[in-house]
Amino acid sequence: MGPIDEAMTKYKKAIKAVLALPVACTVCYGCGQDASDADGQEDRKPLNIIYIMSDDHSYQTISAYGSRLIETPNIDRLADSGIVFTNSFVANSISGPSRACLLTGKHSHKNGFTDNTRTFDGSQQTFPKLLRQAGYETAVIGKWHLTSDPTGFDYWNILVGQGEYYDPVFIDNGERKVIHGYATDITTDIALDWLKNKRDPEKPFCLLLHHKAPHRTWMPDTADLGAFDDTFIPLPENFYDDYEGRPAAAAQEMEIGRDMNLIYDLKMADKEGTVPTGGWLGDYGRELYARLSPEQKAAWDAYYDPIIERFKADSLTGDALTEWKYRRYMRDYLSVIQSLDRNIGRVLDYLMESGLWGNTLVIYTSDQGFYMGEHGWFDKRFMYEESFRTPLLARYPGGFHGEVDAFVQNIDHAPTFLEMAGAPVPDDIQGGSYLSFLRTGKVERGKHWRKSLYYHFYEYPGEHSVRRHYGVRTDRWKLIHFYGDDIDCWELYDLKKDPHEMSNIYGSRSYRRIQKKLHKELRRLQALYDDPVEQELALGNQ
Ligand code: SGN
Ligand code: CA
């Protein structure tokens, strides 16, 4: 065990000891004690909610999920005293749609925000509006990405569109302001300021704290440049995938080797301009660099210039170039996570210092998962595991501590928060409340929990060329239908035998029975969620 490992073990022990301290108060919003512990009864006042969501953070890069690439000690603090959901998924693996699912508790075809080109209809029912009616104060800070202005929030201060890493523009309740600094720090500063100085301390609150990090193009904070240069980064087992039997996987445009831009994504903009820009993306990459302040540029140059020189001297080609790109991508991505984790620590520290830790539900998740080189990819979109899954950790004061393997999906947050607030959950919400998992780790007695998940992705034609598809996943099987003018293809995976989804067994005689069962389950889910796509396609094909 090296010195860093030893320090980590000590740190984790110390944190566990603090978290295990007995606590007693039920009545106030600021004493720091676990609300439900005082007399063995539930809290009489509703808990606050802090929902922290990052953008494109893979479970593969969280130590609580067993990452060997990075330690995320602050995100792990939620695991140390709360729940790691080991089967957490999204309904549509892309930002805007994921956010619309969160707000409405409904699948994309019901909330209307099916892909990133849409504008969210802010007049519809959302959980922040319902929480407000139940007496909560609500705020959203950071990435919003739904085009229309937020509705249902007492306070909103959001990034424009995707947002920038450096000197980002925020829209503060309608007013645009450029803020000097690094997006993850600034988003956290704004959130802490709201918690400390702006909210009404008499009311329970719900804060949605949405980070831009670690979205493309993975620009680290100057403080974290080079933090992972000595980390061993192995290639994923299926890095060199040939996509045999999977035409949609073969048709994507998100391969690290072919599609990742040297300048835009990997920051190889040399001063002489000899590294080819690879089109407009590279030009845009040069612009991003040009926009840095002199101090930011100096830190950037000190780190990247020697790497650029070495890169030029090595003149890599073929697999060597692809693997170099992969490791550069990963080192930047991990550095961005380091800042994210540090900033989550700032929020948790404040909750502990202020006493809010004892009566606040804290969630950490991402808008979807992300490829860390699996199948040779970056980005998301597919119903394959790495992007269908999303990390989810939750710490409910006085609640369950451990792993929960029930299937949860991002449409479940809305009903959970409403139930927790004692507000009615409208019938048209499609997700289920996971409150009993938070409290006891189990499904409520006498109730059933889902055994299968429904997924539907729509953004095609679109960036990265992932075809439209829908599907069903059970604990062992996954059935997917890719559809559209240029594709009509079913895929079936046995996740037990083939966890990396390399072998499409659809149509194989030995799996005929399970295939039939999954088609039936898919039809059941499409009827349950009222998504008529399969019927529409069948009609179109007649
Ligand atoms: C941008 C990125 C894409 C990414 C989408 C969606 N390109 O368009 O790589 O898939 O966002 O991401 S970039 O050139 O602008 O970086 S999402 O998480 O916001 O849905
Ligand atoms: Ca995203």
Side-chain angles (χ1 to χ4, degrees):
M1 192 188 270
I4 295 184
D5 293 333
E6 274 172 29
M8 279 306 303
T9 311
K10 263 194 199 160
Y11 171 80
K12 283 190 172 170
K13 271 193 192 148
I15 286 288
K16 273 194 182 140
V18 170
L19 295 171
L21 287 175
V23 284
C25 178
T26 58
V27 282
C28 65
Y29 282 103
C31 73
Q33 299 176 345
D34 276 0
S36 56
D37 281 3
D39 47 16
Q41 291 182 3
E42 290 301 329
D43 183 20
R44 281 168 225 109
K45 281 192 176 181
L47 297 180
N48 306 306
I49 300 162
I50 297 195
Y51 174 92
I52 307 173
M53 181 163 74
S54 54
D55 192 356
D56 295 358
H57 190 183
S58 62
Y59 59 85
Q60 303 94 304
T61 52
I62 296 180
S63 36
Y65 279 93
S67 178
R68 297 226 208 115
L69 297 167
I70 187 170
E71 286 289 344
T72 46
N74 291 298
I75 294 173
D76 290 10
R77 281 160 75 178
L78 297 177
D80 291 341
S81 61
I83 299 175
V84 177
F85 285 92
T86 56
N87 280 309
S88 156
F89 296 83
V90 293
N92 183 355
S93 180
I94 189 150
S95 166
S98 169
R99 288 155 210 274
C101 289
L102 160 72
L103 292 172
T104 60
K106 297 175 188 171
H107 279 279
S108 307
H109 62 283
K110 287 288 176 192
N111 64 47
F113 203 102
T114 48
D115 63 51
N116 273 344
T117 65
R118 309 275 152 181
T119 298
F120 186 67
D121 169 11
S123 70
Q124 68 185 299
Q125 168 185 286
T126 62
F127 83 80
K129 289 184 188 173
L130 298 170
L131 280 183
R132 259 177 118 183
Q133 284 169 18
Y136 271 70
E137 186 161 19
T138 58
V140 59
I141 293 165
K143 183 164 170 180
W144 171 248
H145 208 197
L146 290 170
T147 313
S148 53
D149 282 350
T151 55
F153 295 95
D154 294 288
Y155 177 81
W156 53 274
N157 198 344
I158 56 170
L159 287 161
V160 177
Q162 290 284 5
E164 301 290 343
Y165 276 107
Y166 282 91
D167 299 350
V169 184
F170 274 82
I171 316 178
D172 180 352
N173 281 296
E175 194 190 333
R176 284 181 184 239
K177 294 174 185 168
V178 178
I179 307 185
H180 181 62
Y182 187 68
T184 311
D185 293 341
I186 299 167
T187 307
T188 309
D189 293 345
I190 297 173
L192 290 175
D193 181 44
W194 184 79
L195 284 169
K196 290 177 189 169
N197 308 315
K198 294 210 164 91
R199 69 186 174 91
D200 177 351
E202 298 304 316
K203 284 184 173 177
F205 66 81
C206 173
L207 167 63
L208 307 185
L209 202 180
H210 292 179
H211 286 287
K212 178 214 170 50
H215 192 271
R216 195 180 182 190
T217 59
W218 323 292
M219 289 173 86
D221 183 358
T222 51
D224 300 307
L225 288 166
F228 292 87
D229 284 5
D230 297 329
T231 303
F232 173 65
I233 301 179
L235 290 185
E237 226 175 89
N238 58 354
F239 186 72
Y240 289 111
D241 190 350
D242 61 7
Y243 314 119
E244 200 196 323
R246 289 157 292 152
Q252 48 58 45
E253 291 172 8
M254 48 192 255
E255 279 169 43
I256 292 168
R258 184 193 56 203
D259 303 311
M260 195 173 257
N261 184 281
L262 282 171
I263 291 187
Y264 179 63
D265 292 309
L266 301 174
K267 297 100 184 165
M268 291 300 106
D270 61 336
K271 307 282 179 294
E272 303 75 28
T274 55
V275 177
T277 58
W280 67 269
L281 256 193
D283 295 336
Y284 184 55
R286 283 192 180 274
E287 259 179 56
L288 282 181
Y289 169 79
R291 266 191 236 154
L292 297 177
S293 73
E295 313 86 70
Q296 291 162 352
K297 257 189 198 150
W300 211 250
D301 290 348
Y303 177 65
Y304 285 109
D305 278 354
I307 299 176
I308 296 173
E309 287 319 306
R310 176 82 197 269
F311 170 71
K312 284 169 43 169
D314 287 351
S315 303
L316 301 170
T317 54
D319 289 353
L321 176 59
T322 302
E323 290 173 27
W324 177 90
K325 287 172 99 173
Y326 169 61
R327 295 199 164 98
R328 259 294 5 114
Y329 153 55
M330 289 301 293
R331 293 194 205 290
D332 283 348
Y333 184 94
L334 294 170
S335 305
V336 173
I337 301 294
Q338 181 158 286
S339 149
L340 180 66
D341 186 70
R342 182 167 62 241
N343 275 288
I344 289 167
R346 290 174 63 206
V347 174
L348 301 187
D349 286 348
Y350 172 69
L351 294 182
M352 288 186 142
E353 283 154 32
S354 63
L356 287 165
W357 184 247
N359 57 3
T360 302
L361 165 67
V362 186
I363 303 270
Y364 179 71
T365 189
S366 169
D367 64 343
Q368 12 69 203
F370 211 69
Y371 292 94
M372 306 274 91
E374 299 88 356
H375 303 281
W377 295 340
F378 63 103
D379 216 66
K380 51 262 178 174
R381 297 159 193 265
F382 280 104
M383 196 191 167
Y384 302 136
E385 291 295 276
E386 292 80 2
S387 43
F388 184 20
R389 287 177 176 272
T390 199
L392 178 64
L393 300 103
R395 196 260 177 192
Y396 182 91
F400 181 71
H401 174 204
E403 287 189 355
V404 167
D405 65 2
F407 281 158
V408 287
Q409 210 165 13
N410 54 349
I411 51 172
D412 298 337
H413 300 299
T416 305
F417 298 160
L418 291 171
E419 190 189 0
M420 201 184 86
V425 180
D427 286 346
D428 61 352
I429 282 192
Q430 298 183 314
S433 164
Y434 57 82
L435 185 60
S436 73
F437 291 109
L438 294 177
R439 287 181 170 156
T440 66
K442 295 194 193 96
V443 64
E444 214 173 313
R445 200 177 299 163
K447 290 214 172 155
H448 292 288
W449 190 254
R450 72 166 71 81
K451 298 248 176 345
S452 64
L453 293 150
Y454 184 59
Y455 181 86
H456 198 158
F457 172 82
Y458 301 80
E459 194 174 297
Y460 183 80
E463 204 176 356
H464 301 300
S465 287
V466 174
R467 300 311 194 262
R468 291 177 183 222
H469 58 290
Y470 55 82
V472 56
R473 186 200 194 280
T474 66
D475 58 347
R476 177 161 176 186
W477 307 97
K478 193 184 285 183
L479 176 72
I480 314 177
H481 185 205
F482 291 93
Y483 67 92
D485 293 343
D486 55 356
I487 200 161
D488 179 6
C489 170
W490 288 89
E491 295 187 4
L492 173 65
Y493 295 98
D494 178 346
L495 298 170
K496 197 167 161 199
K497 288 197 186 141
D498 177 25
H500 304 304
E501 298 158 293
M502 301 293 283
S503 172
N504 175 13
I505 51 177
Y506 190 86
S508 145
R509 285 177 72 87
S510 358
Y511 296 94
R512 216 189 282 158
R513 272 186 58 210
I514 186 68
Q515 190 173 300
K516 213 171 155 198
K517 266 176 97 174
L518 287 165
H519 272 292
K520 196 172 162 207
E521 182 60 4
L522 181 61
R523 283 195 298 273
R524 187 188 73 82
L525 290 177
Q526 289 183 328
L528 176 73
Y529 295 126
D530 191 25
D531 184 356
V533 60
E534 203 166 320
Q535 293 164 30
E536 284 165 8
L537 289 171
L539 286 175
N541 287 340
Q542 274 172 2

